[in-house]
Amino acid sequence: MSDTVKYLLDETRLPKAWYNINADLPEPLAPVLHPGTKQPITPDDLAVIFPRAVIEQEMSTEREIEIPQPVRDVYRQWRPSPLFRARRLEKALDTPARIYYKYEGVSPAGSHKPNTAIAQAFYNQQEGVKRITTETGAGQWGSSLALAGTFFGLEIVVYMVRVSFDHKPYRRAYMESFGAQCIGSPSNTTAAGRAILAEHPDSTGSLGIAISEAVELAAQRDDTKYALGSVLNHVLLHQTVTGIEAKEQMAMADDYPDLIIGCTGGGSNFAGLAFPFLEERLRQGRDIEFIAVEPSACPTLTKGAFAYDFGDTAQLTPLVKMYTLGSGFVPPGFHAGGLRYHGMAPQISHLSKLGLLKPRSYNQLECFAAGIQFAKAEGILPAPEANHAVRGAIHEAEKCREAGESKAILFNLCGHGHFDMQAYMDYSAGKLKDLVYDDSEVAMALAGLPSVG
Amino acid sequence: MSDTVKYLLDETRLPKAWYNINADLPEPLAPVLHPGTKQPITPDDLAVIFPRAVIEQEMSTEREIEIPQPVRDVYRQWRPSPLFRARRLEKALDTPARIYYKYEGVSPAGSHKPNTAIAQAFYNQQEGVKRITTETGAGQWGSSLALAGTFFGLEIVVYMVRVSFDHKPYRRAYMESFGAQCIGSPSNTTAAGRAILAEHPDSTGSLGIAISEAVELAAQRDDTKYALGSVLNHVLLHQTVTGIEAKEQMAMADDYPDLIIGCTGGGSNFAGLAFPFLEERLRQGRDIEFIAVEPSACPTLTKGAFAYDFGDTAQLTPLVKMYTLGSGFVPPGFHAGGLRYHGMAPQISHLSKLGLLKPRSYNQLECFAAGIQFAKAEGILPAPEANHAVRGAIHEAEKCREAGESKAILFNLCGHGHFDMQAYMDYSAGKLKDLVYDDSEVAMALAGLPSVG
């Protein structure tokens, strides 16, 4: 048996509840603070931009949170997603490692993002919201919310980071096909956007800036809320559907992961796969290693400070304790737009601080090379973000080969690269280079961190 | 229950044999003729460009032809593909019709084409072939053969119709990511290409021209064969895996189709879904209607002649009896590149002639409108080719609404539109128009049909 093997769960095995890691953290998360008072934030503070159900989930410490039936009804269109044993890749690498990947590119939007987009759209619709604003980097999240909007009859407004807006018109067209409105950020539609443009008319934008704009617009109208595609607890919670499925699928394969690998921009796809396994490490002492892979040009976990910071550039959001390169830092315009974020999910940051996961960074060129190698073996061309996880998995498999060790490596192939062909063209043409962030910019951004308590 | 329902077969239900409709035709197909002698062609004649196993299948009248295990091992990566009951679309259309679609966009290349690409690559590899040449229109077929090439270690050379080569660089980049060589056609690499360029330096190309180039290159070297992505019996045979699965899935849904709809360029995706059901009409007298949808700008079945013609423009291929607009006809450059072909599969043509299927044509704008309507309801953005089937299904569902009739409509959603976003952008921007073929060009091309017997 030398061919790649698929492990597919019956639809009846679609999880009925998400897993909330806050129930099992060895130490609780630092509280989220109000940006003005710097006191712990209240549900009422958040109600301006989020529906009540989402705020409850954000603060919950219940271990299991039920997935509403209408959300499961939409999930069923592509879930449970397949888990593959990458036997062709193993053969190409000549490694004794057993490589598995959970493939989230089977969703209609092509990534893991609909797992939370569908849930958030549902909760908003339940509470009478008519319009949702959001930001998007590479476009995966904006596409997913556009999709969710069409399923639940909501208007969607997407602020798309300028560099992606210009370089990925097809992603934009995809969102617009589902009826979403897509605005290049920074834009003239918000005070936050205008302020940035006044100072940097040629700004390539950033997720931090786009968040500022989306939050500002949401706060202006009662029928409008804001949705975030990563970072926050409830988003990571919704993603755990992938890891819960993967546990069953690894059991089908009669195997168990020694290593779990994911790419981290805001942290949601990594968390989605890792947390349900981390539960088994925390509660049952299972021996699993977790590796969070980030781009060397935006090395939040590996080079950032663990501190209170804003989630956005205009400093409109609450303060969260996380690894950050400073909310004033604008990462270079590399091609994995979904990983261009100054901060990191508080839960991921906390786990990294506690030593429960190991962060690692790779450069863009080695990640594209890994993606091509993967595609030629497995037939799926990954998104540039996912290439970071692929690079991590290949690296570990090569270490196994050198050590003559057969580890089980499981990674999250969080999306396909169909909308990223320009990046692959540039890579193949030798036009891409490894980008380096500006040390002094990070130092300046970190010096500007808000002082808390 | 108002949400779209998925019917998914267990991997153990992956078909073990393809269905060969030649076993059940009420009258046999007209023989294929040698282009020089105009006598029935022999296996030896075909051996220059096809492997023996493929030639045998082309001529077989066995009802069931076993799917080799290595082919099934690759199929398993995405097959059995899902069949959906489009309840959200039904609701949006307010129709009593029950609309089902088989979704072939789940393959790594995003269409039904790998069903035959994998099989053809396998047979070639078995017979020691090192290189396969082919043509591609929209790029779906070229992508699929590129994928198959990487799985079976074969070099792939793709002649891509010039209009698509220029307008779809991302499709090209996708093929190249898998290691395939992609050449815009007509090109200077073949005598056929050079002849066209001498006469029409700005030729937008056509499938007919690209086939000439690919066949010419294949005939030059012993280690090189040619593969076709549609039209021929063996290609349609390989596609029947979709209809065989769909029969089981319709049974899971406790329903049976009254109508089966597919788009037809060369005829393979339509045949793949329709033939296994047509078997039940032919052998058991089941009452099912079959509708083949083609573009009004290339109306082969609805306006062509039923006659012997060449499959390509340079008149290198054998002569087949089919509906044709004349091998000299170059269809206008509309966006469903996969449907820009002067001819039609002999099997489909024969069935149409016998009245066993009904051809119908639609214009490009109404097809894009149908695709957007489908996407907003079902969350999947179809390829422009597939939009023709969607248009047909919506049209029939609307007729059901008017008549107050609840028919079961099953169509083949043969691919997604991720690589067709330029077309959607042009459509949304109002830049697309309905294209009209030139009557006098068709008349001239038909006047040039070869005289036979």
Side-chain angles (χ1 to χ4, degrees):
Chain A
M1 171 99 93
S2 64
D3 233 307
T4 289
V5 184
K6 176 175 66 179
Y7 298 98
L8 196 57
L9 297 173
D10 191 78
E11 196 174 290
T12 59
R13 315 297 287 275
L14 180 67
K16 295 191 168 61
W18 294 297
Y19 166 63
N20 181 9
I21 199 165
N22 283 352
D24 296 313
L25 291 175
E27 296 171 24
L29 289 177
V32 176
L33 305 182
H34 189 283
T37 65
K38 294 182 182 164
Q39 293 303 308
I41 207 155
T42 66
D44 283 348
D45 294 329
L46 293 172
V48 181
I49 55 168
F50 291 122
R52 291 276 166 189
V54 159
I55 296 166
E56 266 171 43
Q57 290 181 354
E58 187 62 24
M59 300 185 160
S60 170
T61 53
E62 290 291 314
R63 182 171 290 122
E64 292 204 332
I65 294 179
E66 192 190 339
I67 307 177
Q69 192 54 43
V71 173
R72 296 179 77 235
D73 284 343
V74 177
Y75 277 179
R76 280 188 297 114
Q77 186 167 342
W78 70 93
R79 304 210 70 87
S81 69
L83 181 140
F84 291 99
R85 167 88 185 264
R87 285 194 185 261
R88 284 193 297 259
L89 179 64
E90 292 169 17
K91 200 175 159 199
L93 294 171
D94 190 24
T95 177
R98 290 143 13 239
I99 307 177
Y100 297 88
Y101 58 98
K102 178 76 169 165
Y103 185 39
E104 289 292 306
V106 293
S107 82
S111 80
H112 64 294
K113 295 287 188 185
N115 295 332
T116 183
I118 299 299
Q120 292 192 56
F122 166 75
Y123 291 122
N124 274 286
Q125 184 226 36
Q126 286 291 100
E127 298 185 25
V129 173
K130 302 293 178 214
R131 188 172 74 154
I132 304 180
T133 68
T134 196
E135 74 293 329
T136 200
Q140 303 266 25
W141 166 242
S143 297
S144 302
L145 198 65
L147 183 78
T150 197
F151 287 160
F152 290 99
L154 298 165
E155 255 182 84
I156 304 294
V157 182
V158 181
Y159 287 94
M160 187 170 187
V161 175
R162 172 58 65 180
V163 63
S164 297
F165 188 84
D166 290 340
H167 290 165
K168 303 183 86 175
Y170 292 172
R171 245 318 164 186
R172 199 174 0 131
Y174 181 85
M175 292 183 243
E176 289 168 352
S177 296
F178 290 100
Q181 186 190 354
C182 198
I183 302 169
S185 167
S187 78
N188 281 313
T189 66
T190 64
R194 287 188 294 269
I196 301 278
L197 286 174
E199 217 176 321
H200 307 284
D202 297 328
S203 169
T204 53
S206 71
L207 281 172
I209 296 169
I211 293 172
S212 296
E213 295 202 77
V215 168
E216 185 181 325
L217 192 68
Q220 282 168 9
R221 248 167 63 178
D222 275 355
D223 68 351
T224 303
K225 300 283 180 195
Y226 164 74
L228 191 66
S230 192
V231 179
L232 297 182
N233 299 348
H234 67 275
V235 180
L236 277 54
L237 171 78
H238 299 155
Q239 291 297 347
T240 58
V241 66
T242 63
I244 296 167
E245 289 174 5
K247 281 206 289 192
E248 280 210 62
Q249 289 164 312
M250 288 302 296
M252 281 172 80
D254 203 13
D255 208 342
Y256 196 83
D258 297 301
L259 268 176
I260 289 181
I261 299 174
C263 65
T264 44
S268 78
N269 93 73
F270 174 81
L273 183 63
F275 285 3
F277 288 95
L278 194 52
E279 177 189 8
E280 299 191 340
R281 173 161 161 183
L282 293 170
R283 299 179 67 205
Q284 296 159 33
R286 301 283 311 229
D287 182 24
I288 323 175
E289 213 177 313
F290 298 88
I291 300 175
V293 180
E294 60 186 14
S296 298
C298 188
T300 313
L301 284 169
T302 49
K303 299 281 178 65
F306 186 60
Y308 270 103
D309 197 4
F310 296 96
D312 69 326
T313 304
Q315 311 198 332
L316 295 174
T317 69
L319 290 164
V320 294
K321 193 148 186 199
M322 62 180 174
Y323 279 96
T324 177
L325 296 164
S327 57
F329 172 65
V330 177
F334 53 83
H335 267 291
L339 308 182
R340 286 183 73 234
Y341 185 59
H342 69 274
M344 186 54 65
Q347 289 174 331
I348 297 287
S349 298
H350 186 69
L351 291 163
S352 186
K353 184 73 182 171
L354 292 174
L356 286 162
L357 64 85
K358 295 181 187 165
R360 181 184 295 174
S361 75
Y362 292 110
N363 281 306
Q364 134 165 306
L365 292 184
E366 60 187 324
C367 292
F368 274 102
I372 295 276
Q373 187 173 21
F374 179 84
K376 285 184 176 167
E378 297 293 315
I380 300 169
L381 194 68
E385 292 80 9
N387 282 343
H388 289 73
V390 174
R391 174 68 190 113
I394 290 178
H395 191 174
E396 290 298 321
E398 287 170 340
K399 286 202 269 179
C400 283
R401 183 182 61 213
E402 282 152 32
E405 217 181 343
S406 175
K407 284 186 182 173
I409 300 168
L410 168 62
F411 72 96
N412 199 349
L413 188 70
C414 61
H416 62 59
H418 298 173
F419 292 97
D420 302 285
M421 294 315 301
Q422 189 63 49
Y424 278 98
M425 280 175 74
D426 291 349
Y427 171 72
S428 299
K431 287 186 195 162
L432 288 195
K433 50 183 186 181
D434 286 333
L435 297 178
V436 180
Y437 66 95
D438 186 329
D439 269 328
S440 63
E441 267 186 43
V442 169
M444 204 186 310
L446 290 177
L449 286 178
S451 64
V452 172
Chain B
M1 171 99 92
S2 64
D3 234 306
T4 288
V5 184
K6 177 175 66 180
Y7 299 97
L8 197 57
L9 297 173
D10 192 78
E11 196 174 291
T12 59
R13 313 297 286 274
L14 181 66
K16 294 191 168 61
W18 294 297
Y19 166 63
N20 180 8
I21 199 163
N22 283 351
D24 296 314
L25 291 175
E27 297 170 23
L29 289 177
V32 175
L33 305 182
H34 189 283
T37 65
K38 294 182 182 165
Q39 292 303 306
I41 206 155
T42 66
D44 284 347
D45 294 329
L46 293 171
V48 181
I49 55 168
F50 291 122
R52 291 275 167 190
V54 159
I55 297 167
E56 267 173 43
Q57 291 182 353
E58 186 62 24
M59 300 184 160
S60 171
T61 52
E62 289 293 311
R63 182 171 290 124
E64 293 205 333
I65 294 180
E66 193 190 337
I67 307 176
Q69 192 55 43
V71 173
R72 297 180 77 235
D73 284 344
V74 177
Y75 276 180
R76 280 189 295 113
Q77 185 168 340
W78 70 92
R79 306 210 69 87
S81 69
L83 181 141
F84 291 100
R85 166 88 185 262
R87 285 195 185 261
R88 284 193 299 259
L89 179 64
E90 292 169 16
K91 200 176 158 197
L93 295 171
D94 189 25
T95 177
R98 289 139 20 234
I99 308 176
Y100 297 87
Y101 57 99
K102 178 76 169 164
Y103 185 39
E104 289 292 305
V106 295
S107 84
S111 80
H112 64 294
K113 294 287 188 185
N115 295 333
T116 183
I118 299 299
Q120 293 192 56
F122 166 75
Y123 292 122
N124 274 286
Q125 184 226 38
Q126 287 291 99
E127 298 185 24
V129 173
K130 302 295 178 211
R131 189 172 72 153
I132 304 181
T133 68
T134 196
E135 72 294 329
T136 200
Q140 303 267 25
W141 166 242
S143 297
S144 302
L145 198 65
L147 183 78
T150 195
F151 287 159
F152 290 98
L154 298 165
E155 255 183 85
I156 305 294
V157 181
V158 181
Y159 286 94
M160 187 170 186
V161 176
R162 172 57 65 180
V163 63
S164 298
F165 187 84
D166 290 340
H167 290 167
K168 303 183 86 176
Y170 292 172
R171 247 314 164 187
R172 198 173 4 130
Y174 181 86
M175 291 183 243
E176 289 167 353
S177 296
F178 290 100
Q181 186 191 354
C182 199
I183 301 168
S185 166
S187 78
N188 281 312
T189 65
T190 65
R194 286 188 294 270
I196 301 277
L197 286 174
E199 216 175 321
H200 306 285
D202 298 328
S203 170
T204 54
S206 70
L207 281 172
I209 296 169
I211 293 172
S212 296
E213 295 203 78
V215 168
E216 184 181 327
L217 192 69
Q220 282 167 10
R221 250 168 59 180
D222 275 354
D223 68 350
T224 303
K225 300 282 180 196
Y226 164 74
L228 191 65
S230 192
V231 180
L232 297 182
N233 298 348
H234 67 275
V235 180
L236 277 55
L237 171 78
H238 300 155
Q239 290 298 345
T240 58
V241 65
T242 63
I244 296 167
E245 289 175 6
K247 279 206 289 192
E248 279 211 59
Q249 289 165 311
M250 288 302 296
M252 282 173 79
D254 203 14
D255 208 343
Y256 197 83
D258 297 301
L259 268 176
I260 289 182
I261 299 173
C263 65
T264 44
S268 77
N269 93 74
F270 174 80
L273 182 64
F275 285 3
F277 288 95
L278 194 52
E279 178 190 7
E280 300 190 341
R281 173 161 160 184
L282 293 170
R283 298 179 69 204
Q284 296 158 32
R286 300 281 314 226
D287 181 24
I288 324 175
E289 212 176 315
F290 298 88
I291 300 174
V293 181
E294 60 186 12
S296 297
C298 187
T300 314
L301 284 171
T302 50
K303 300 281 178 67
F306 186 60
Y308 271 103
D309 197 5
F310 296 95
D312 69 326
T313 304
Q315 312 198 331
L316 296 175
T317 69
L319 290 165
V320 294
K321 192 150 187 196
M322 61 180 175
Y323 279 96
T324 176
L325 296 165
S327 58
F329 171 66
V330 177
F334 53 83
H335 268 291
L339 308 182
R340 286 183 73 234
Y341 185 59
H342 70 273
M344 184 57 63
Q347 287 175 332
I348 298 287
S349 298
H350 186 69
L351 291 163
S352 186
K353 185 71 183 171
L354 292 175
L356 286 163
L357 64 85
K358 295 180 187 167
R360 181 184 296 176
S361 76
Y362 292 110
N363 281 305
Q364 136 165 304
L365 291 184
E366 59 187 325
C367 292
F368 274 101
I372 294 276
Q373 186 173 21
F374 179 84
K376 286 186 175 167
E378 296 294 313
I380 299 169
L381 194 68
E385 292 80 7
N387 283 343
H388 289 72
V390 174
R391 173 69 189 112
I394 289 178
H395 191 175
E396 290 298 322
E398 287 170 341
K399 286 202 268 179
C400 284
R401 183 181 61 212
E402 283 151 30
E405 217 181 343
S406 175
K407 284 187 183 172
I409 300 167
L410 168 62
F411 71 97
N412 200 348
L413 189 70
C414 62
H416 62 59
H418 297 175
F419 292 97
D420 303 285
M421 294 315 301
Q422 188 63 49
Y424 278 99
M425 279 174 74
D426 291 349
Y427 171 72
S428 299
K431 287 184 195 163
L432 288 195
K433 52 183 186 181
D434 286 333
L435 298 178
V436 179
Y437 66 96
D438 186 327
D439 270 327
S440 62
E441 268 186 43
V442 170
M444 203 187 311
L446 290 178
L449 285 179
S451 65
V452 172

